[in-house]
Amino acid sequence: MPELLPLWVRVLALVVGLALWLAQYFAVNHVQRPVRSRVRLESSLDRSLPVVPQFVVFYLSTYLLGVLPPLFVVRTNQFIDLAIAYGVITVVSTAVHVLYPSEIVRLDARSRHGWSWRLIDWFQRLCRPYGNFPSVHAGFAALAVVAGFAALGVALGVTLLAWAVLVIISTLLIRQHYVVDVAVGVALGGVVTAALLLGW
């Protein structure tokens, strides 16, 4: 196996992985359950945070952040570790979403005006408010940060860290996740990726 993987191999792996992830996400997200069987993990801290709808831009940017690592992790051994990290994060989060179903009380975006509210409304129509614990947004953001430091060095790793922080804050300020969702998501993504890529 070559030491460096060609771009076409990494892109192909990314496309296949993304297709599999989307299939499982929408399958789990649309599972019908009685409302009373879903837990809400809202805290007083969640209720005290301001609503900043413009942060929806950072929230949606996580999908770009989440797919960047396969494009810049070029070493074969690191790429395999990265693929395993994506898989472990997905399997663990999906198992929790199925076995410990959660939901979040979302903002009513339909009656609000402005481009940011329209984006929030569009997203909320696409994805149901279920399976928010742990936050996969936060998990894949943490994965991107660790991969950035491992493959690109400190300068670009810090850039990805700043981006990930904005993504994580956005999940709270537009009420798509609770604080505990984000904390557990970051821990899951960060620990799994660091264990694999950095040999913890």
Side-chain angles (χ1 to χ4, degrees), residues 116-180:
S116 54
W117 287 109
R118 283 195 296 274
L119 280 175
I120 292 171
D121 181 48
W122 168 80
F123 178 81
Q124 291 183 166
R125 288 173 189 257
L126 182 66
C127 301
R128 303 179 72 173
Y130 303 147
N132 51 294
F133 173 83
S135 167
V136 179
H137 273 75
F140 284 158
L143 175 148
V145 171
V146 175
F149 278 105
L152 300 175
V154 173
L156 289 173
V158 168
T159 301
L160 292 176
L161 175 60
W163 185 356
V165 167
L166 289 171
V167 165
I168 289 165
I169 291 171
S170 76
T171 68
L172 302 173
L173 299 187
I174 65 168
R175 300 296 195 270
Q176 299 301 317
H177 284 287
Y178 295 131
V179 171
V180 68

Side-chain angles (χ1 to χ4, degrees), residues 181-196:
D181 306 335
V182 170
V184 174
V186 168
L188 173 63
V191 169
V192 167
T193 310
L196 289 162

